[in-house]
Amino acid sequence: SRLNKVLPNLDKDIAESISNSFKKLNRYLEKNDIEIIDYTNQKFNEGRNLDILAVEKSSNILESIIKETKEPTILHKNQVVNKGKVIILEKNTEDLSHE
């Protein structure tokens, strides 16, 4: 997703070269049964096998989400070889007034 944000701003030939390299990398990963999981913007679930680097609070969300994936989870043949590292955006319930 980060790559897709910068590609439109690059020279056409450079963007095409990077895009082709990225496609080759994806084919290699698929062929070797390696999966990279980015959890950004997904609902946060306590049961996920993740390292939480930080927790931020917000009263503007309906449920806790993963704000940012600093390191993705990497699976090889469905086995975790690198646990993801994330920043959580947690629903802040302390702001509610008690009248």
Side-chain angles (χ1 to χ4, degrees):
S1 63
R2 290 179 187 161
L3 185 61
N4 287 333
K5 289 178 186 176
V6 297
L7 279 178
N9 301 325
L10 297 175
D11 176 74
K12 184 181 175 189
D13 291 338
I14 292 171
E16 188 173 322
S17 176
I18 291 172
S19 182
N20 286 338
S21 295
F22 193 69
K23 287 175 186 173
K24 286 179 188 176
L25 176 61
N26 276 336
R27 284 193 300 269
Y28 174 84
L29 295 174
E30 286 176 15
K31 181 178 142 188
N32 290 286
D33 205 6
I34 298 171
E35 185 178 359
I36 298 173
I37 304 171
D38 181 345
Y39 296 100
T40 303
N41 294 323
Q42 292 185 19
K43 178 181 175 182
F44 175 65
N45 177 330
E46 292 283 342
R48 286 191 171 162
N49 190 13
L50 298 169
D51 286 334
I52 300 169
L53 301 176
V55 177
E56 298 175 6
K57 302 229 180 226
S58 172
S59 44
N60 298 329
I61 57 174
L62 297 174
E63 59 189 0
S64 297
I65 62 166
I66 297 171
K67 178 182 178 184
E68 184 178 354
T69 301
K70 289 293 188 180
E71 286 185 27
T73 293
I74 300 175
L75 304 174
H76 179 248
K77 298 184 179 180
N78 293 321
Q79 297 294 313
V80 175
V81 293
N82 187 67
K83 193 189 305 188
K85 294 173 179 38
V86 298
I87 296 174
I88 306 300
L89 186 60
E90 192 174 78
K91 180 161 179 57
N92 188 356
T93 55
E94 297 169 10
D95 289 356
L96 302 176
S97 59
H98 301 287
E99 296 179 29

